[in-house]
Amino acid sequence: MPYILALDQGTTSSRAILFDKQGQIAGVAQHEFPQIFPAAGWVEHDPLDILTSQLSAAVEVLGKAGATPRDVAALGIANQRETTIVWDRETGKPVSNAIVWQDRRTAPMCSRLREEGVEETVRQKTGLLLDPYFSATKIAWILDNVEGVRARAEKGKLAFGTVDSWLIWNLTNGKRHVTDRTNASRTLLYNIVEDRWDEELLRIFGIPASMMPEVVWSSEMVGRVTTPLGPGDVAIAGIAGDQQSALFGQLCVGPGDAKCTYGTGCFLLQNIGGTFRLSGQRLVTTLACSTARKPEYALEGSIFIGGAVVQWLRDKMCFFSFAPDVEGIAASVDDSGDVVFVPAFTGLGAPHWDPYAAGMIIGIRRDTGIGHIARAAIESIAFQVADVLKAMDADTGIPCRELRVDGGAAANDLLMQFQADLLGIPVHRPAVLESTALGAAYLAGLATGFWNSVNEIATMRAEAVFKPRADRAQMARCYGRWREAVERAKGWNAGGSGM
Ligand code: ADP
């Protein structure tokens, strides 16, 4: 069988990608689905839209490659994380729309729990923070706000799942109610130290244990597709939340291995090995994919504005019409001319966590032009990544030796070279940039013998390497200026004037 099928179920679209034995892309299909915004700060998906868009993308990609399900050795799923679905075990019907990870409706519940003093317990057990982002308060919201649901849940009639669980439950006609450890670790209910659903946490959030899926390894045969629609009778053998899937897709399988995805925002994850460790730098600890079937951990830091700063230059400043054109404009000058751009459009994420920080461009002179500002914008992406990576290094004491990159903005050579210069370590950009889907494919392929080992996979990868070549002292000065600028941007909106 020549292919592995990766289902990449994202926030705005469902994609299906076929990979061949060499890990090359043999076909891609992508189906967008509607975003539902019922109120300010609320974001929902219709679970049936998620399912049908994903199934149709799978059917389409097979058609495009002239393949049938019999040509597919196994399928793997990488999914948007934290998004919460509750459905009836008998009818299979969801009791409400899915509450998406971006949804902030449970902020008051998080504040109340914080006041009750449970955050430290939550952190010690889950490695996370008490934030609406994660699943637990979303489940509680559905139980408390959809009529009759709590009573049905208490009778064991309802099932909870993140998107991976929902897809697999449907693909196996309700036979398997499972999730993998990487997804479980984003719910606030999974004890990642003791590797189990945690009764105390379930009690704190008021969630019946009977709703929870069985937890499996990310690379494990969990069943076969039995639905007559789509990839019939294919083995389901890989599951991971999208960021952990990308970490695995980049083969970051040893302690210290780190990857950064440069999309709208940037997601940095570093494998920290088999020992749980809490961050002293306000990063979260989470489970990584393990093929050895023992818990492995990663530190994670997210940056809100990454490639989005380029969108802003394009759409609001009208400096250019296409995002990739930023590279030529930034390259039209030798340096940023001392301009520093802090893109704190929505405050600052890890490791600063300042919701009141303001966007700022500082150091403008008479000779400052759009080239300098474009260059400062590109540099700001790299500076923010350096902030998170330094925080990770401080947490682990294991200095990162190289950074592996993917995502749309990683196509920018100038950014990648600046990143290498700034960090003083090589930046590796694989030829296949679809790390998220690739991770799910690797997990499924390894579980079914399609590939024999991570080493075998490593030999078939091609990549570009950006080596540091700038003067270290000069880069240290640049970075120092950035840190100073960040201090000036912090707290700007705290007085309420700009908010
Ligand atoms: P997402 O998955 O978050 O939608 P993508 O991985 O598709 O993001 O990357 C898109 C982002 O990358 C956009 O914010 C865009 O502005 C930025 N981008 C695309 N090409 C480039 C480029 N050549 N240089 C810098 N940024 C880019």
Side-chain angles (χ1 to χ4, degrees):
M1 285 183 280
Y3 301 122
I4 295 283
L5 174 61
L7 306 182
D8 179 3
Q9 205 304 304
T11 308
T12 57
S13 72
S14 297
R15 304 195 319 143
I17 303 187
L18 272 182
F19 289 99
D20 64 18
K21 191 97 183 172
Q22 281 67 47
Q24 296 296 314
I25 293 175
V28 182
Q30 173 162 0
H31 289 199
E32 290 194 6
F33 58 87
Q35 307 292 308
I36 303 165
F37 305 109
W42 293 30
V43 188
E44 297 182 353
H45 292 156
D46 182 335
L48 294 174
D49 287 341
I50 293 178
L51 182 63
T52 52
S53 61
Q54 189 61 78
L55 284 176
S56 43
V59 171
E60 187 184 324
V61 78
L62 290 174
K64 272 185 172 172
T68 71
R70 265 184 237 147
D71 298 318
V72 179
L75 75 79
I77 296 174
N79 58 285
Q80 54 166 320
R81 303 178 301 174
E82 298 102 10
T83 295
T84 296
I85 305 172
V86 176
W87 67 93
D88 186 298
R89 290 182 187 279
E90 236 163 74
T91 65
K93 291 218 170 77
V95 302
S96 69
N97 276 339
I99 304 187
V100 179
W101 57 272
Q102 296 149 321
D103 191 292
R104 307 297 297 175
R105 80 183 68 175
T106 57
M109 180 173 182
C110 291
S111 306
R112 182 166 52 71
L113 288 168
R114 208 172 294 120
E115 277 157 30
E116 288 170 14
V118 302
E119 186 159 35
E120 198 45 32
T121 308
V122 168
R123 233 169 76 80
Q124 295 288 344
K125 292 183 174 208
T126 68
L128 307 174
L129 309 163
L130 203 42
D131 191 275
Y133 181 29
F134 306 107
S135 312
T137 57
K138 299 181 196 291
I139 308 173
W141 192 93
I142 292 172
L143 293 177
D144 290 335
N145 291 278
V146 184
E147 206 182 315
V149 159
R150 184 170 284 285
R152 281 159 70 197
E154 272 159 12
K155 284 194 199 120
K157 293 193 178 300
L158 301 183
F160 151 74
T162 40
V163 168
D164 53 317
S165 304
W166 167 246
L167 289 176
I168 293 170
W169 198 85
N170 280 286
L171 287 170
T172 61
N173 256 327
K175 262 209 214 83
R176 298 302 315 264
H177 180 214
V178 297
T179 190
D180 85 305
R181 283 170 169 77
T182 67
N183 276 293
S185 76
R186 313 297 295 185
T187 58
L188 280 179
L189 300 168
Y190 199 72
N191 186 321
I192 68 171
V193 186
E194 294 174 10
D195 193 28
R196 59 177 175 81
W197 295 118
D198 190 283
E199 276 151 34
E200 184 184 7
L201 294 174
L202 287 162
R203 202 168 52 245
I204 287 172
F205 292 100
I207 295 164
S210 64
M211 297 178 77
M212 294 294 117
E214 179 193 336
V215 179
V216 299
W217 295 102
S218 301
S219 183
E220 175 177 346
M221 173 75 182
V222 297
R224 287 189 168 273
V225 177
T226 51
T227 163
L229 295 166
D233 204 36
V234 172
I236 304 167
I239 316 173
D242 50 14
Q243 290 307 321
Q244 285 99 327
S245 187
L247 187 70
F248 194 77
Q250 289 272 24
L251 298 184
C252 293
V253 294
D257 294 348
K259 72 91 197 173
C260 184
T261 301
Y262 297 77
T264 309
C266 295
F267 278 96
L268 201 63
L269 273 81
Q270 183 175 56
N271 184 314
I272 58 168
T275 310
F276 172 75
R277 187 195 290 269
L278 272 179
S279 170
Q281 311 273 337
R282 308 174 79 191
L283 305 172
V284 302
T285 310
T286 200
L287 285 171
C289 300
S290 162
T291 49
R293 304 202 170 186
K294 56 183 176 35
E296 284 175 46
Y297 299 93
L299 284 176
E300 173 173 329
S302 36
I303 293 160
F304 302 146
I305 303 293
V309 72
V310 173
Q311 280 167 357
W312 181 80
L313 292 180
R314 182 191 63 192
D315 302 340
K316 299 293 178 190
M317 297 296 104
C318 305
F319 281 7
F320 42 82
S321 310
F322 302 101
D325 293 343
V326 72
E327 191 164 350
I329 293 175
S332 69
V333 292
D334 292 335
D335 54 42
S336 73
D338 291 333
V339 173
V340 182
F341 190 154
V342 183
F345 300 162
T346 52
L348 285 170
H352 307 290
W353 294 112
D354 183 351
Y356 303 114
M360 182 179 90
I361 302 175
I362 197 165
I364 298 170
R365 300 186 301 230
R366 254 194 109 140
D367 64 345
T368 299
I370 63 172
H372 300 108
I373 293 182
R375 194 158 186 126
I378 293 296
E379 291 178 358
S380 78
I381 302 173
F383 283 133
Q384 294 181 92
V385 169
D387 287 346
V388 175
L389 207 66
K390 279 174 199 292
M392 284 180 174
D393 284 353
D395 269 339
T396 58
I398 317 168
C400 180
R401 296 175 305 270
E402 64 179 48
L403 182 65
R404 302 184 199 173
V405 300
D406 50 61
N412 188 317
D413 288 354
L414 188 130
L415 169 60
M416 294 300 107
Q417 185 58 50
F418 186 75
Q419 189 74 79
D421 286 340
L422 181 64
L423 297 172
I425 57 174
V427 166
H428 292 238
R429 184 177 66 197
V432 177
L433 275 176
E434 298 287 354
S435 304
T436 305
L438 203 48
Y442 289 164
L443 290 165
L446 286 167
T448 50
F450 186 81
W451 291 298
N452 293 314
S453 66
V454 168
N455 286 345
E456 178 193 338
I457 290 172
T459 58
M460 61 196 198
R461 288 165 65 89
E463 58 184 16
V465 181
F466 297 84
K467 292 196 180 122
R469 52 177 194 222
D471 177 59
R472 298 297 308 141
Q474 197 204 330
M475 290 317 289
R477 269 194 306 278
C478 276
Y479 186 62
R481 293 295 278 167
W482 158 260
R483 295 300 291 233
E484 258 178 67
V486 167
E487 288 313 309
R488 288 175 195 235
K490 280 185 182 170
W492 180 260
N493 290 319
S497 54
M499 300 293 276

